[in-house]
C-alpha cells in the first residue's frame, strides 16, 4: 500500500487535485489509513490507466465513466472466462470432448 504522495511521484504530470477528484468521483477507491488514503497496486494501475486515457488519448471527463465501466466489464468477463476454463479443465476427457463437439456445432 502506498500513500498519496508516493502515487503522485509515480505518475508524471498528475496533480493532487486531479487524483483527489478521481477518488471523489469513485473512479479510484483507495483504502483509508490513519494518515489518509492508501493505494493498492490495483488502485495505482487504475490511476495510470485514467491518466493515460485523459492525457494521452484525450478522453473527456464526461466520457471517462463509460470507458471505465467498459474496461471493468472486460476484466470481469476475463475473470469469469478463466473460472469457466478451469472448471472445464477439471472435467473428465469425455465431458471435454462433448464440450468441444458442441462448440464446433454452434
Amino acid at each position: 500500500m502506498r500513500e498519496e504522495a508516493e502515487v503522485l511521484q509515480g505518475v508524471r504530470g498528475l496533480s493532487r487535485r486531479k487524483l483527489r477528484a478521481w477518488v471523489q468521483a469513485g473512479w479510484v477507491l483507495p483504502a483509508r489509513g490513519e494518515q489518509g488514503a492508501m493505494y493498492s497496486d490495483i488502485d495505482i494501475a487504475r490511476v495510470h490507466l485514467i491518466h493515460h486515457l485523459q492525457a494521452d488519448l484525450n478522453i473527456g471527463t464526461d466520457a471517462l465513466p463509460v470507458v471505465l465501466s467498459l474496461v471493468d466489464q472486460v476484466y470481469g468477463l476475463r475473470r469469469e472466462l478463466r473460472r469457466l476454463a478451469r472448471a472445464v479443465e477439471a472435467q473428465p476427457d469425455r465431458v471435454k470432448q462433448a464440450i468441444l463437439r458442441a462448440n464446433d456445432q454452434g
Side-chain angles (χ1 to χ4, degrees):
M1 300 290 276
R2 295 186 184 96
E3 294 180 357
E4 181 181 75
E6 292 176 85
V7 175
L8 292 169
Q9 286 177 338
V11 183
R12 178 181 242 179
L14 178 60
S15 69
R16 177 172 272 112
R17 190 173 121 240
K18 190 173 281 192
L19 177 59
R20 288 182 177 176
W22 296 348
V23 171
Q24 182 72 27
W27 299 345
V28 181
L29 303 170
R32 290 281 159 209
E34 291 179 16
Q35 298 180 3
M38 296 299 293
Y39 295 82
S40 68
D41 289 342
I42 292 172
D43 296 323
I44 294 168
R46 192 161 177 98
V47 166
H48 281 280
L49 171 65
I50 295 168
H51 189 266
H52 173 68
L53 291 170
Q54 286 194 323
D56 300 334
L57 300 179
N58 296 318
I59 304 290
T61 303
D62 293 341
L64 199 57
V66 175
V67 173
L68 291 174
S69 175
L70 292 171
V71 168
D72 291 343
Q73 288 178 44
V74 167
Y75 279 109
L77 288 170
R78 288 179 65 197
R79 188 172 40 252
E80 290 300 316
L81 285 172
R82 279 193 300 272
R83 288 179 56 205
L84 179 60
R86 283 193 302 270
V88 169
E89 188 58 35
Q91 298 304 310
D93 285 339
R94 64 181 171 73
V95 174
K96 289 187 242 183
Q97 292 302 319
I99 291 170
L100 288 172
R101 281 193 304 275
N103 187 48
D104 288 341
Q105 296 172 0

